[in-house]
Amino acid sequence: MTPEKQLTRSVPSTVQATVISTALLTVPTPGRDFVDLTSEAAKFINESRARDGALTLFIRHTSASLTIQENADPSVLVDLTTALSRLAPENAGWTHDTEGPDDMPAHIKTMLTGTSLQVPVLNGKLALGTWQAIYLIEHRSRPHRREVVLQFIGSNQ
């Protein structure tokens, strides 16, 4: 039998949400790729004078998505692209193919990866881990202009 692991947690902190800041980020994509949005999200937090709260990111599309993933080794993003392509290949005989063979697989990849993220903001900074970054994933093969809603809810004091 293994010994019980000791869990720890900090003392809860409470702030009164007094600020809601919203912006629309327009992102040109090069085609199938991961686009790092971390610096834009951090810039939004800085310009909003955010202190403590939560940043929500929401992509207004059904064939592109958002994720938090490793930002240190680019091969991770290559492998993730490969995995998504295996899960939803273009040549699987999809019924929905009006916009091309990459459209239905893009919808499936979005369903698997998601359209929104929430990141805690602590002391005016995104509370991401050391190797984490916020990415927009373009699932279509051609370039697009994607819209991401950024919204901070919390305190600026």
Side-chain angles (χ1 to χ4, degrees), residues 18-78:
T18 58
V19 174
I20 299 175
S21 298
T22 306
L24 182 63
L25 177 63
T26 302
V27 183
T29 66
R32 195 170 289 120
D33 201 4
F34 282 72
V35 179
D36 191 338
L37 303 181
T38 312
S39 64
E40 286 297 325
K43 190 183 305 181
F44 169 72
I45 291 302
N46 185 49
E47 290 172 357
S48 298
R49 296 186 183 96
R51 175 97 179 120
D52 294 298
L55 171 64
T56 299
L57 298 93
F58 175 77
I59 190 164
R60 296 165 53 159
H61 303 278
T62 60
S63 57
S65 58
L66 299 169
T67 192
I68 295 175
Q69 263 306 327
E70 180 176 324
N71 65 358
D73 183 352
S75 68
V76 169
L77 302 180
V78 172

Side-chain angles (χ1 to χ4, degrees), residues 1-5:
M1 180 167 249
T2 59
E4 210 174 294
K5 293 185 179 182

Side-chain angles (χ1 to χ4, degrees), residues 3 87 117 145 150 155:
L87 290 170
L117 298 172
R145 290 180 62 78
L150 304 171
S155 170

Side-chain angles (χ1 to χ4, degrees), residues 83-111:
L84 288 171
S85 294
R86 288 179 183 160
L87 290 170
E90 288 186 18
N91 60 353
W94 306 109
T95 303
H96 174 73
D97 62 0
T98 308
E99 296 180 50
D102 67 335
D103 190 36
M104 191 61 220
H107 292 304
I108 293 167
K109 293 169 189 176
T110 296
M111 183 178 68

